[in-house]
Amino acid sequence: MTVFEELTARGLVAQTTGEEAVRDMLDHGKAVFYIGFDPTADSLTVGHFNPLILMRHLQRAGNKPVALLGGGTTMIGDPSDRTDMRSLMGKDLIDANAGRFKAQMSRFIDFSDGKAIMVNNADWLLDLNYVDFIRDIGVHFSVNRMLTAECYRSRLEKGLSFLEFNYMLMQSYDYLYLHEKYGVNLQCGGDDQWSNMLGGTELIRRKLGHDAHTLTIPLLLTREGQKMGKTARGAVWLDPEKTSVYDFYQYFRNTADDDVIPYLKRLTFVPLEEIAEMEGWRGQELNAAKERLALELTALIHGGEEAQKAQEAARALFTGGGRLDDVPTTTLDFASELGVLDALVRCGLAASKGEGRRLVEQGGLELDGKKVTDVHAVIAREQCEGEGLMIKKGKKVYHRLRVQ
């Protein structure tokens, strides 16, 4: 199976320009490709897995990745998949976030000996002369055509700022700059970026008369995939300080049945032959596939040893074992007692007391194996001493509460 055939079989190809040319580049290690990441937070999330996995597949096949940090474009904000304008961020915060992205990407991509490079578009975008830019680049873009792009068309009724309207031009200019400076001949990204990305391909053709191509990854459209990386407690981060290794493992261990096989194909390097054997699995066998998915992805991000610890902790809790240090833990300081609703909020298990109340009323809360039915119940300090109090939310979420 060729590289392009495997990517297609894994569901990592949505659409391309010049498919035969792209296929030839990828199969023969001739692609110098870039993927952009706007550092809008201080950590990548599991929502970034698709492009990172694609980069790793292509690098393993001999192609050269260029990881583009959007230090410049983040100052405007991508209007794609937005119903309102993004909050504007300061340069210092953007730079700090970019530094964290770089460290996390290094787990996926080999940057040694020039095998891949990382660049930041702030280095060329922030020093542009706006009049020169509009004369040189803006002249190649039709406003009428831009307004047909979904990222802009969907925003017209609620309002689209001129600031955001510049985003496509700046992203297109990134491709032109990378093409001229580093020989980048392929841009990759999510399918929702298709219109923005075509702008760069067309700009290179118009200005330089060169062939450059675009490949997009399909969005995860399965039931769980639509909210991939999101939980009731927020995003699932790659930074263990923001999402514990255990929570990270559990997020994928709890994958919906219909999503297990697509996730294994799209997000792991498990051989397709092995995945094919799992496609008919049901019941306990399917649970084994979920464990394999969770273990593979946790190991990819946090290392094999940490992944194994998370798996052992999960198995111990689900078999009635008990209290392992790898279970997420909150340490609080309170006097004699703490209301159960307050505890849920302070442990991050409920966004509000109202949410906690509904959890209790629906029978979804246990403390040390005993169901809680009274919303006014309290937790005594001594219950949280020593190994701590084990909180079980629903069927699958465990959390330990300890006191200082």
Side-chain angles (χ1 to χ4, degrees):
M1 185 179 292
T2 67
V3 177
F4 192 86
E5 288 171 345
E6 178 170 0
L7 293 177
T8 301
R10 288 185 176 274
L12 286 169
V13 177
Q15 52 189 337
T16 73
T17 60
E19 181 177 317
E20 289 304 315
V22 172
R23 181 190 297 266
D24 179 68
M25 282 194 294
L26 299 185
D27 290 347
H28 295 92
K30 297 186 294 186
V32 181
F33 67 97
Y34 96 90
I35 299 180
F37 300 84
D38 279 354
T40 55
D42 59 1
S43 172
L44 295 165
T45 73
V46 298
H48 293 100
F49 263 143
N50 267 328
L52 290 169
I53 292 295
L54 178 67
M55 291 178 84
R56 187 151 166 168
H57 273 294
L58 296 185
Q59 185 179 50
R60 289 169 65 171
N63 300 287
K64 183 174 182 177
V66 176
L68 173 65
L69 296 174
T73 41
T74 301
M75 298 192 75
I76 288 181
D78 184 1
S80 301
D81 194 32
R82 297 286 297 187
T83 58
D84 55 4
M85 193 173 85
R86 294 179 187 271
S87 299
L88 298 182
M89 300 172 61
K91 187 176 183 301
D92 289 345
L93 179 58
I94 293 171
D95 289 345
N97 290 347
R100 291 176 177 267
F101 274 29
K102 182 175 181 178
Q104 292 175 342
M105 285 183 201
S106 297
R107 287 186 172 273
F108 291 85
I109 309 303
D110 182 2
F111 289 97
S112 67
D113 304 320
K115 295 173 187 172
I117 61 174
M118 184 172 290
V119 294
N120 189 326
N121 63 18
D123 293 340
W124 57 86
L125 291 181
L126 298 189
D127 291 331
L128 286 174
N129 178 289
Y130 188 70
V131 173
D132 290 341
F133 176 75
I134 291 298
R135 284 175 59 89
D136 188 38
I137 303 300
V139 69
H140 297 289
F141 289 80
S142 162
V143 171
N144 289 345
R145 184 174 176 181
M146 290 173 70
L147 289 176
T148 65
E150 180 61 26
C151 61
Y152 292 133
R153 185 170 56 83
S154 62
R155 290 285 306 283
L156 289 179
E157 289 186 7
K158 291 191 175 181
L160 176 70
S161 73
F162 184 72
L163 179 70
E164 296 170 288
F165 204 60
N166 281 267
Y167 193 92
M168 183 183 289
L169 274 68
M170 296 179 75
Q171 182 172 332
S172 299
Y173 182 73
D174 282 345
Y175 195 8
L176 175 66
Y177 182 92
L178 294 172
H179 180 76
E180 292 186 300
K181 187 171 180 64
Y182 299 104
V184 173
N185 53 19
L186 177 68
Q187 61 177 335
C188 303
D191 202 21
D192 58 335
Q193 290 285 312
W194 179 248
S195 297
N196 278 348
M197 296 168 74
L198 285 183
T201 301
E202 181 66 12
L203 179 62
I204 291 173
R205 187 190 66 79
R206 284 173 172 268
K207 280 191 65 67
L208 306 178
H210 296 177
D211 285 332
H213 292 284
T214 295
L215 179 151
T216 60
I217 312 164
L219 301 178
L220 283 169
L221 295 178
T222 53
R223 182 176 64 256
E224 287 299 304
Q226 289 177 330
K227 58 179 187 288
M228 185 181 180
K230 302 292 184 182
T231 70
R233 296 169 63 190
V236 178
W237 305 95
L238 304 196
D239 183 348
E241 296 297 319
K242 296 171 74 70
T243 296
S244 73
V245 178
Y246 176 84
D247 279 342
F248 186 93
Y249 175 91
Q250 280 298 99
Y251 176 79
F252 287 102
R253 174 60 181 82
N254 295 337
T255 296
D257 291 356
D258 292 343
D259 294 337
V260 179
I261 299 303
Y263 278 19
L264 280 165
K265 290 179 179 178
R266 294 272 292 272
L267 305 177
T268 78
F269 295 91
V270 175
L272 288 169
E273 295 80 6
E274 289 187 41
I275 298 174
E277 295 176 2
M278 302 178 193
E279 290 188 354
W281 289 5
R282 297 293 183 271
Q284 289 301 313
E285 285 187 322
L286 191 58
N287 285 333
K290 293 181 181 183
E291 284 197 335
R292 178 70 182 278
L293 171 69
L295 187 66
E296 291 281 337
L297 289 176
T298 307
L300 187 63
I301 300 300
H302 300 294
E305 183 177 349
E306 290 298 313
Q308 196 64 46
K309 288 180 182 178
Q311 185 174 75
E312 290 172 1
R315 286 177 173 175
L317 288 169
F318 278 101
T319 56
R323 313 167 160 279
L324 299 182
D325 289 339
D326 298 291
V327 176
T329 300
T330 297
T331 301
L332 299 177
D333 186 16
F334 61 95
S336 58
E337 24 180 71
L338 178 68
V340 68
L341 300 185
D342 285 317
L344 289 173
V345 173
R346 293 175 69 179
C347 288
L349 294 171
S352 64
K353 287 187 179 181
E355 182 180 309
R357 178 185 295 272
R358 288 189 292 274
L359 178 68
V360 172
E361 291 174 342
Q362 293 167 7
L365 180 67
E366 292 182 9
L367 300 180
D368 272 346
K370 297 180 181 179
K371 182 165 290 189
V372 177
T373 58
D374 181 3
V375 297
H376 301 294
V378 295
I379 296 170
R381 180 181 177 88
E382 53 265 29
Q383 289 178 269
C384 306
E385 294 174 343
E387 289 187 335
L389 175 73
M390 189 62 68
I391 302 173
K392 182 181 178 184
K393 174 186 173 182
K395 295 180 179 180
K396 301 176 180 179
V397 177
Y398 289 85
H399 198 94
R400 182 168 54 171
L401 174 60
R402 305 178 83 169
V403 290
Q404 292 180 344

